[in-house]
Amino acid sequence: MDKYSYVANADVSTIDNLYQSYKGSPESVDYSWQKFFEGFEFSQNGSVAKTENGSKNGNGNGAATTVNEKEMQVRFLIHAYRSRAHLRSNTNPVRKRKDRKPILDLQDFGLSESDMETVFEAGKEIGIGAAPLRKIIESLRYIYEGTIGFEYMYVRDPERLSWLRDKIEKESLEFNPSTQEKTRILSKLNEAVVFENFLHTKY
């Protein structure tokens, strides 16, 4: 598989729109994307120069560049989960969901099992701080591959998108209702179903 195939798997038009917004006003995009585009422009301007012995950043083996590339890959992975993981969500209790080919595997993003214990700053994206890739993926699966499917990346208002994303991600990981709260939630869901049935019967 091509080393950079994960770029083709990303929603290019969305990223391009974000970049255009960033160029017009950096504060108009999420902080994490500000950092991403700063790094992109840094590399485009040739600031990461080779030393006389051909190494990058003067470390002799290009390790820092490799880490930066992996960080970018993990960010693309997180974006892919936000965009397509609803295709893997377990929303049908009767039968297993069909394989919709959501393109969410490690190899789709230039990552592998050898990266699983590497700590990535991208973990801050989903509210868990810098974390090993294993924990980032476990968190993403818990949030997006559970019994609720989230499809929201079509929202174009940055403020609304940010609010909804935080509700879905950060609160999902912290949500631990008591038995009493669970009972109340079930009661409210039942009330909604009864009301919906009433509307269908009435009209």
Side-chain angles (χ1 to χ4, degrees):
M1 180 174 289
D2 190 295
K3 179 181 178 182
Y4 299 104
S5 61
Y6 65 89
V7 176
N9 292 333
D11 187 342
V12 178
S13 62
T14 298
I15 295 174
D16 183 60
N17 288 337
L18 283 170
Y19 184 49
Q20 297 305 319
S21 297
Y22 168 80
K23 289 199 296 184
S25 173
E27 292 74 22
S28 67
V29 302
D30 186 80
Y31 178 78
S32 61
W33 281 108
Q34 292 179 33
K35 297 290 107 181
F36 175 83
F37 292 133
E38 283 178 13
F40 172 73
E41 292 185 341
F42 182 73
S43 63
Q44 289 293 100
N45 291 334
S47 298
V48 183
K50 289 186 177 182
T51 61
E52 291 182 0
N53 64 4
S55 65
K56 295 182 180 179
N57 296 326
N59 61 14
N61 58 14
T65 300
T66 300
V67 170
N68 289 337
E69 289 176 354
K70 295 288 186 179
E71 282 285 353
M72 182 168 63
Q73 292 163 358
V74 175
R75 288 179 186 274
F76 274 120
L77 175 63
I78 292 172
H79 180 80
Y81 262 85
R82 290 168 173 168
S83 302
R84 302 190 293 275
H86 63 279
L87 297 174
R88 276 189 181 174
S89 57
N90 184 28
T91 54
N92 190 335
V94 178
R95 60 177 180 271
K96 187 176 180 181
R97 177 183 284 276
K98 293 181 180 179
D99 183 4
R100 302 292 184 181
K101 310 295 182 185
I103 314 178
L104 295 173
D105 296 326
L106 288 177
Q107 61 268 27
D108 295 320
F109 298 87
L111 299 166
S112 68
E113 286 293 327
S114 63
D115 298 308
M116 293 297 272
E117 303 308 322
T118 302
V119 175
F120 291 98
E121 292 293 321
K124 295 176 181 178
E125 278 274 292
I126 55 175
I128 62 174
L133 179 59
R134 186 180 305 280
K135 184 176 180 181
I136 292 173
I137 291 176
E138 287 174 354
S139 298
L140 288 169
R141 286 175 176 169
Y142 178 80
I143 295 166
Y144 289 108
E145 293 186 23
T147 54
I148 300 176
F150 297 104
E151 187 177 5
Y152 63 97
M153 291 301 288
Y154 60 85
V155 177
R156 292 306 177 198
D157 184 311
E159 186 175 346
R160 292 181 179 180
L161 178 62
S162 179
W163 181 88
L164 184 56
R165 185 179 61 228
D166 287 348
K167 280 286 183 183
I168 292 169
E169 295 180 348
K170 296 180 176 62
E171 293 192 15
S172 290
L173 295 174
E174 298 172 356
F175 186 61
N176 186 26
S178 64
T179 301
Q180 184 178 358
E181 288 175 305
K182 290 179 180 178
T183 302
R184 181 178 181 277
I185 291 170
L186 178 60
S187 175
K188 290 297 182 181
L189 287 173
N190 285 336
E191 287 177 13
V193 171
V194 170
F195 183 61
E196 183 179 8
N197 289 337
F198 165 76
L199 291 178
H200 285 305
T201 303
K202 188 72 174 178
Y203 302 102

